[in-house]
Amino acid sequence: MAELMNGKEVSAAKRAELKERVAALNEKGIQVGLAVIIVGNNSASRVYVNNKKKGCEEIGVNSYEYALPEETTQAQLLSLIDELNNDSRVNGILCQLPLPSHIDEQSVINSINPEKDVDAFHPFNVGHIMIGDYTYLPCTPAGIMEILKYYNVSVAGKRCVVIGRSNIVGKPMAMLMLKENGTVEICHSRTAGLAEETSRADILVAAVGKADFVTADMVKDGAVVVDVGMNRNAEGKLCGDVCFDEVEKKASYITPVPGGVGPMTITMLLENTVRSAEKIV
Ligand code: GUN
């Protein structure tokens, strides 16, 4: 039976530290602010944005929400971002993805001042991650690394397999594990013999976006399994990418959904926001 890696517990420890850092900035007369933009009525995005605002409140960061209607034009969105780039109350700008299909996401990401890009999605920050400079951390992968560290799971020398090649999770996850001297493989929908690849993993990260995608036969005995998924199964219940009930019997460590990776993603966003404010001291 696997030991649970509790993201809420790791998150609480990290947020306590962040709260102290914000208080130290406040004592110097500096307020910390995060602007959160949401466009349209995506219900999952609404939940994420509310949790991000709650996280800000918890550690003393001011959050400024901009909820824009679905029909917002790209020009209007870029104009708001331009305003926020020049607003000294705002240390970080987060534009919740996905955006409505008439808006080009990459153009929006490119318009955020890299100094305020607390998602670390701008090509400037992506480039820095590639060369191992983590001024701004990629939130979800960095949260996973914190969880592994908390549970004393060492990455060095391990065979690490990531399923999923997204810019938000898969690619930066591979970079972080490589920096920690893991031997890293990225698998995806076109990978031939996927189960054979994943079965060799000492550390398996599932970032597929499909409920119950990773089954026990795809996992090595004693593997560490990290589930990035946030899906609804046929019964409408929140679940990850990993078939938890059967995989937990085989793994040595596993993250649950909810309460695993999710809370850490927001905590690392807060870390980036605090870092942004600390840079101006
Ligand atoms: N949509 C899903 N995950 C994320 C994230 O980490 N940041 C933003 N901005 N949008 C997302």
Side-chain angles (χ1 to χ4, degrees), residues 48 52 94-98 119 121 139-140 168 265:
Y48 290 135
K52 285 168 186 175
L94 176 138
C95 183
Q96 188 65 31
L97 305 178
D119 264 323
F121 289 169
C139 299
T140 299
I168 296 183
T265 295

Coordinates of all heavy atoms in Angstrom, one line a residue, residues 48 52 94-98 119 121 139-140 168 265, ligand 1:
Y48 N -10.7 27.6 -10.1 CA -9.3 27.9 -10.0 C -9.0 29.3 -9.5 O -8.2 29.6 -8.6 CB -8.5 27.6 -11.3 CG -8.4 26.2 -11.7 CD1 -8.7 25.8 -13.0 CD2 -8.1 25.2 -10.8 CE1 -8.6 24.5 -13.5 CE2 -8.0 23.9 -11.2 CZ -8.2 23.5 -12.6 OH -8.1 22.2 -13.0
K52 N -7.3 30.8 -6.2 CA -6.1 31.6 -6.2 C -6.3 32.9 -5.4 O -5.4 33.3 -4.6 CB -5.8 32.0 -7.7 CG -5.1 30.8 -8.4 CD -5.0 31.0 -9.9 CE -4.5 29.7 -10.6 NZ -4.5 29.7 -12.0
L94 N -1.9 37.2 -13.8 CA -2.2 35.9 -14.2 C -3.5 35.9 -15.0 O -4.5 36.5 -14.6 CB -2.5 35.1 -12.9 CG -3.0 33.7 -13.2 CD1 -2.3 32.7 -12.2 CD2 -4.5 33.5 -13.1
C95 N -3.4 35.5 -16.3 CA -4.5 35.4 -17.1 C -4.9 33.9 -17.2 O -4.2 33.1 -17.8 CB -4.2 35.9 -18.5 SG -5.6 36.0 -19.6
Q96 N -6.0 33.6 -16.6 CA -6.5 32.2 -16.5 C -6.7 31.6 -17.9 O -7.4 32.2 -18.8 CB -7.7 32.1 -15.7 CG -8.1 30.6 -15.4 CD -7.1 29.9 -14.5 OE1 -6.4 30.5 -13.7 NE2 -7.0 28.6 -14.7
L97 N -6.1 30.4 -18.2 CA -6.3 29.7 -19.5 C -7.3 28.6 -19.2 O -7.4 28.1 -18.1 CB -5.0 29.2 -20.0 CG -3.9 30.2 -20.2 CD1 -2.6 29.5 -20.6 CD2 -4.3 31.3 -21.1
P98 N -8.0 28.1 -20.2 CA -8.0 28.5 -21.6 C -8.8 29.8 -21.7 O -9.7 30.1 -21.0 CB -8.7 27.4 -22.3 CG -9.7 26.8 -21.2 CD -9.0 27.0 -19.9
D119 N 3.1 33.1 -13.8 CA 2.9 31.7 -14.3 C 4.1 31.2 -15.0 O 4.2 30.0 -15.2 CB 1.8 31.8 -15.4 CG 0.4 31.5 -14.9 OD1 0.2 30.6 -14.0 OD2 -0.6 32.1 -15.4
F121 N 5.0 31.6 -18.1 CA 4.6 31.1 -19.4 C 5.2 31.9 -20.5 O 5.2 31.5 -21.7 CB 3.0 31.3 -19.6 CG 2.2 30.3 -18.7 CD1 0.9 30.4 -18.6 CD2 2.8 29.2 -18.1 CE1 0.1 29.5 -17.9 CE2 2.1 28.3 -17.3 CZ 0.7 28.5 -17.2
C139 N 4.7 26.7 -12.1 CA 4.0 26.4 -10.9 C 3.7 25.0 -10.6 O 4.1 24.5 -9.5 CB 2.8 27.3 -10.8 SG 3.1 29.0 -10.9
T140 N 3.1 24.3 -11.5 CA 2.7 22.9 -11.2 C 3.9 22.0 -11.1 O 4.1 21.3 -10.1 CB 1.7 22.4 -12.3 OG1 0.6 23.2 -12.3 CG2 1.3 21.0 -12.1
I168 N 2.6 23.8 -20.1 CA 2.3 24.2 -18.7 C 2.9 23.1 -17.7 O 3.5 23.5 -16.7 CB 0.8 24.3 -18.4 CG1 0.2 25.5 -19.2 CG2 0.5 24.5 -16.9 CD1 -1.2 25.8 -19.0
T265 N 0.2 23.9 -6.8 CA 0.3 24.8 -7.9 C 0.0 26.2 -7.5 O 0.7 27.1 -7.9 CB -0.7 24.3 -9.0 OG1 -0.4 23.0 -9.5 CG2 -0.8 25.3 -10.2
Ligands
GUN1 N1 -5.1 26.9 -16.6 C1 -4.8 25.7 -16.1 N2 -3.7 25.8 -15.4 C2 -3.3 27.1 -15.4 C3 -2.2 27.8 -14.8 O1 -1.4 27.2 -14.1 N3 -2.2 29.1 -15.0 C4 -3.1 29.7 -15.8 N4 -3.0 31.0 -16.0 N5 -4.1 29.1 -16.4 C5 -4.2 27.8 -16.2

